[in-house]
Amino acid sequence: MTDPLLHHGDDELAPGLVDLAVNVRTGTPPPWLREVLRAALDGVAAYPDARPARAAVAAAHGRDPAEVLLTAGAAEAFVLAARALAPRRAVVVHPSFTEPEAALRAAGHPVERLLLDPPAYRLDPTAVPADADLVVLGNPTNPTSVLHPHRDVAALARTGRVLLVDEAFADTVPGEPASLAGRTDLPGLLVVRSLTKTWGLAGLRVGYALAPADLVAAMAAAQPHWPLSTPALAAAVACTTEAARAEADAAARELAGHRAALLAALPPGVAVVGEPASSFVLLRVAGGARVRAALRDRGWAVRRGDTFPGLSPDHLRVAVRDPATSRAFAADLAAILCPEIPGPIPTTTSLPAAVPEEHR
């Protein structure tokens, strides 16, 4: 049986299904980025030079280039951290993306799970064991879409501890109010970022880690030479310019409206878990496995939730798409949940699209 920690949204896909299982923004890469990638092909005869990309990422976050490690997506950063560190007590906050725990276990490290309480799934810094020397969490968290206040996450940093924060979806929140990517004052802070979600580069593998220079050097020592291709490095430069970051922020603001439209369309019988802030929402429905199968029969792929520690088969993660797609999905979901009720079903389900003040 496949390890549930290694199950991902793309495992739900099949020809003919509308993809609500993978959280990559639709309509990407944009035309200008496609041109960057095409132009980069002219340089693939030479070995990749990571220096311009490292400098670009460092400038985007106000960091020294020595504090930047370019990686083949966020997933490689988790593997490198697991190889470079020797934690005595590693704690992973769940429900969350499962790759960090899988990487730690593959490297032979025992892992403890701290399960956040439903239905809010909000971080309580005091619940983290004081003697944990490695703490891992996501912000905003996949799959709950919950955005933890930056002060609560920062409170976990301390001397003698590595605090690994997965910020793969940070740029899906307007203004990135909870991001710690620019913080150099917090000891042991390791922030992992990805350019694949917002820019549609999952197949190219582009990510990076931000950390103190000694931790970056330790992770780099566990990394093979030339881990990113020339096109991937070109994408890293292009996507961290001021113009690109402004475009990403505009996309995040549009996303907030699209998310509100999805939530407003959901039928009775669907519970929205937590307070979603990212490019996906976590839903809970009775008979979730049956509902997911019925959605597939109607042409929809959604992400099962039971492979995430702390969730059940009744949890489904749904990517935010344009309002027309969301309304069509909600109509089919309503037909599955309430087959005796014809036509569209009104709902009062809604959440504010804006980021709460506490995250700022």
Side-chain angles (χ1 to χ4, degrees), residues 312-326:
S312 74
D314 288 345
H315 289 94
L316 305 174
R317 193 191 70 192
V318 178
V320 175
R321 303 300 189 214
D322 64 275
T325 299
S326 294

Side-chain angles (χ1 to χ4, degrees), residues 19-26 258-259 319-323 325-326:
D19 177 13
L20 302 184
V22 177
N23 298 320
V24 174
R25 183 164 63 105
T26 57
H258 289 179
R259 185 176 59 246
V320 175
R321 303 300 189 214
D322 64 275
T325 299
S326 294

Side-chain angles (χ1 to χ4, degrees), residues 32 53 55-61 195 199 208 235-245:
W32 63 265
V57 170
H61 295 290
L195 296 173
W199 299 110
Y208 53 89
V237 172
C239 294
T240 51
T241 64
E242 184 175 343
R245 286 168 63 82

Side-chain angles (χ1 to χ4, degrees), residues 16 38 141 181 185 216 257 294 296 308:
R38 291 190 187 99
T141 302
D185 59 315
V216 165
R296 290 183 71 86
F308 292 101

